[in-house]
Every structure is written in structure tokens, then in C-alpha cells.
Amino acid sequence: MANIIDGKKIRDYNLDIMKKEVGELNDRGIFPCLAVIIVGNDPASRVYVNNKKAACAKTGIISREYALPEETSTEELLALIDKLNSDDEVSGILCQLPVPAQIDSDAVLERISPAKDVDCFHPENVGRLSIGNGKMLPCTPNGIMKMLEYEGIDPEGKTCVIIGRSNIVGKPMAMLMTAANATVTLCHRKTANLAQVASSADILVACVGKPKFVTADMVKDGAVVIDVGMDRDENGKLCGDVDYDSVMPKTSYITPVPGGVGPMTITMLMRNTITAAKEQKNS
Ligand code: GUN
């Protein structure tokens, strides 16, 4: 029988720990602070930013919001980032993606100081991650590692198959799983015999962005299945990348959508903000 991994429970467990930690830091004069930049009026981005601010409030992290108009230029956004980079009261900077098309998003992500890059998107932090000494860790993949740890699932020696090679999830997931001594296969749209490869996995991570893409024939009996998808099914209902109803009975552990991986991403953003604040104060 499958165990359903409860992302909200694991989020609350981690946020409680961080709240105590922030209280102790405050007593020593350290005040972790996250600056969130949102450009334009994308409704989904607005929800994400509000959720990030709410998580800050829960943990005692100071949040600052910088809402810029839709027509903001790359230069204007870079000027704001420069200001925040040199503001000693700001521990972490996050620019909510996507940004409007006229903005050079690579230039923006590279301008955020690596020490304040709480998304772990800066090439320097991605490089550090790849050689196994990252301080900032990628939020969604690290949230998945924390979920596995909470459930007592050790990736060491296990076969891990990741479907989807995005810079935000798939690639950094492969790095964290490799660092945890799993044997990793990173699949993508050109992978031959995907169902066969996927069904070799002890731990299967789906991050393709296609509703119900992973079907029961792609899953080994007793596998751990992690669903990163946030999709809509044919009726417009929220669902994941995994066809949950048919896959769930085959698994030993599975994350639901919603209430699985989603809550962990913001939790790990809080973790990175605290790490950044401590590093900047050498504490
Ligand atoms: N948009 C969707 N997910 C993310 C994320 O993890 N970080 C940022 N900065 N923007 C996003």
C-alpha cells in the first residue's frame, strides 16, 4: 500500500524549526530579509509572491516587495538589483519569473549577487552545486531531498530516473541525487524507450510539465514517485505530471498534487534566505 507523502506536514515541520532559528538569530542582531521583485501583472506570479511573503511572515523573516510596471526595461531592473546587492539589510534577492519579454532574464539572474541568490540560479551557484559544495541549494530539488529524508528514504545506491531536464528542476535534481549517491538517469523528449528507462527507477521524479504524463506502465512495483507537475487536466482541474489514480497503487511512496512537492519549494527558499543571512554575517 502506498504511503502518501504529505508536503504540508513536512513544510510545517521545517518552518517551525526555521522560526526558532530566526528568533535566535534576531537575539544576536541578525535579521534575515528577503527582497522579492515582481515585474508586471501575471496573476500566477502574484499568487506565488504572496505565498512567499506569507512564508516569510510565518518564520519571522523580513520580506520586502518591489513591484515594477510591465514596461520596465532590463536596465531599470538591473539598477534595482544593484541597489539591493549593496543593501546590507537585504540577505536574499528573488526576481519572480517569468519576466516580460523585453527583459533579458539571463542578464537579470546573473546580476543578482551569488551570495544573495536564494533561487540558486546564478551560474556561480550552479557551478558550486555541480562540484558538490553549494551553499545555496535549488529550492524545488532540495525540497524533494528533504521530503525523502523526512520519510527515511535514502537515495544511496538507488536508481533515480528524472523525467525533464529544466534548469530549475531536472538538472539540479540530478546533481543533488548524484551527491546523495544515487545512480541517476536524466530523461528528456529525445530519450529512447522512455517507459522502459522510467520503469527501472527506484525513485522516479516527474518534472515534465505535461498532465498525467507518467502512466502505470512506466513505474516499477514499489517505486518512490515524486511529482513536480502543476498542470491542468482536460476538465481544467489541477493535476500533476503523474496519472495519480493508476500509478499510486504500484508505489511505496508517492507525492500528491496539490499538497506534495509544491509547499516544499517555498520552504527551501526560507532556508536559503537564512543561510544567506548567516553567511553574510559570518555566523
Ligand atoms: N517562477 C516559478 N517558479 C519560480 C522559482 O522557483 N523562482 C523564481 N524566481 N521564479 C519562479
Side-chain angles (χ1 to χ4, degrees), residues 30-33 84-85 87-93 113-118 136 272-283:
I30 299 171
F31 296 89
C33 168
L84 297 174
N85 278 339
D87 185 335
D88 288 343
E89 288 179 8
V90 172
S91 330
I93 304 167
S113 160
K116 298 190 177 187
D117 169 36
V118 284
M136 293 298 157
N272 279 344
T273 305
I274 295 169
T275 301
K278 285 162 68 176
E279 286 286 322
Q280 286 155 30
K281 306 285 178 191
N282 296 319
S283 166

Side-chain angles (χ1 to χ4, degrees), residues 46-64:
R46 172 42 63 198
V47 172
Y48 288 132
V49 167
N50 288 349
N51 289 344
K52 286 166 185 171
K53 286 162 65 184
C56 284
K58 257 193 180 162
T59 42
I61 292 173
I62 298 165
S63 66
R64 288 199 208 164

Side-chain angles (χ1 to χ4, degrees), residues 48 52 94-98 119 121 168 265:
Y48 288 132
K52 286 166 185 171
L94 176 145
C95 180
Q96 186 66 30
L97 300 176
D119 266 321
F121 289 167
I168 297 188
T265 297

Side-chain angles (χ1 to χ4, degrees), residues 180-199:
N181 297 318
T183 302
V184 178
T185 305
L186 184 55
C187 300
H188 45 77
R189 66 183 77 244
K190 303 286 186 190
T191 298
N193 304 320
L194 179 62
Q196 191 189 338
V197 176
S199 61

